[in-house]
Amino acid sequence: SAVISQKPSRDICQRGTSLTIQCQVDSQVTMMFWYRQQPGQSLTLIATANQGSEATYESGFVIDKFPISRPNLTFSTLTVSNMSPEDSSIYLCSVEGRGTTEAFFGQGTRLTVV
Amino acid sequence: GEDVEQSLFLSVREGDSSVINCTYTDSSSTYLYWYKQEPGAGLQLLTYIFSNMDMKQDQRLTVLLNKKDKHLSLRIADTQTGDSAIYFCAEITDKLIFGTGTRLQVFP
């Protein structure tokens, strides 16, 4: 299995500001994924982050709003830009397990925008 | 289209069995998963089943897959209060698609 650490675990932010969420994995992984879980809802994939290339965004998500970095095989960041209350969600980082199709998740970042 | 449905709530008495159901739409899914999310925590993978299997048992957990009806279930035997959480099923094609989640409440 993979151990994933996310920081911060929670934050309360003013509208119009930006927050960068960090995801650190204890092993090298090819693909990292960022999900959003809006209150009371399921998980929605925001983007797939591959090392050495631009992230691939799902429909409804754009790079200007959710820029992603992937500087190496163990680390990624997701920035939530120009936040509004509608961005209040849990943001989760995920990786695929080696040699399996399991997906492992960080503990999530609970974001509240006021 | 991709759509994974679950009932929203399930309430059971401690010691009874819980059965959480899930329906999915993409028949090309290779694996199907069950995740558990406890309050304030991320997702924990509970178990998964390969699409060519009908059943998988892992201690108190039993997964049943009816591929013809695209129906997946998770049975938790001897449900405990620590099992109270939200349970998500998920299918994988080119990406993970999560169900809507079922909130399981276990009462004494």
Side-chain angles (χ1 to χ4, degrees):
Chain A
S1 66
V3 177
I4 304 169
S5 301
Q6 263 186 256
K7 287 194 290 189
S9 58
R10 59 178 60 230
D11 206 343
I12 300 173
C13 300
Q14 296 288 326
R15 68 175 66 203
T17 63
S18 297
L19 175 72
T20 296
I21 303 167
Q22 299 180 7
C23 179
Q24 179 76 51
V25 190
D26 68 341
S27 58
Q28 293 185 340
V29 294
T30 304
M31 298 170 79
M32 296 177 75
F33 306 89
W34 287 99
Y35 288 83
R36 180 176 73 182
Q37 185 180 21
Q38 293 177 298
Q41 297 192 28
S42 186
L43 281 75
T44 303
L45 181 64
I46 297 172
T48 302
N50 297 321
Q51 196 268 336
S53 63
E54 278 200 4
T56 303
Y57 289 82
E58 297 297 308
S59 175
F61 298 97
V62 295
I63 188 171
D64 289 346
K65 176 66 175 177
F66 297 102
I68 287 172
S69 80
R70 184 79 201 273
N72 57 53
L73 291 172
T74 63
F75 187 78
S76 177
T77 67
L78 170 76
T79 298
V80 186
S81 303
N82 188 25
M83 288 182 284
S84 66
E86 291 72 34
D87 294 320
S88 298
S89 294
I90 299 173
Y91 292 86
L92 296 113
C93 168
S94 172
V95 305
E96 288 180 346
R98 276 192 177 278
T100 73
T101 56
E102 298 178 28
F104 301 97
F105 287 83
Q107 80 278 18
T109 296
R110 184 179 294 272
L111 171 62
T112 303
V113 184
V114 297
Chain B
E2 301 161 334
D3 204 7
V4 183
E5 298 286 342
Q6 297 177 237
S7 52
L8 290 180
F9 298 103
L10 178 65
S11 185
V12 300
R13 188 181 299 276
E14 189 174 18
D16 287 351
S17 293
S18 308
V19 180
I20 302 171
N21 294 302
C22 171
T23 57
Y24 61 98
T25 55
D26 195 328
S27 59
S28 66
S29 298
T30 52
Y31 287 87
L32 295 122
Y33 303 85
W34 283 104
Y35 283 87
K36 176 183 180 183
Q37 186 179 38
E38 295 180 273
L43 272 72
Q44 173 196 356
L45 177 64
L46 286 178
T47 187
Y48 62 92
I49 187 168
F50 189 48
S51 60
N52 69 351
M53 298 170 64
D54 298 324
M55 187 183 84
K56 180 179 179 181
Q57 187 151 2
D58 185 1
Q59 299 182 336
R60 292 192 297 124
L61 305 178
T62 302
V63 178
L64 295 178
L65 175 60
N66 181 329
K67 201 171 179 183
K68 173 177 170 289
D69 294 337
K70 299 189 184 70
H71 183 264
L72 181 73
S73 68
L74 174 70
R75 178 176 180 270
I76 305 173
D78 187 24
T79 313
Q80 302 298 306
T81 54
D83 294 324
S84 294
I86 301 175
Y87 291 80
F88 291 94
C89 64
E91 62 171 345
I92 189 165
T93 52
D94 61 336
K95 60 185 179 185
L96 267 176
I97 306 295
F98 284 87
T100 47
T102 299
R103 183 178 295 275
L104 173 64
Q105 183 178 13
V106 182
F107 57 92

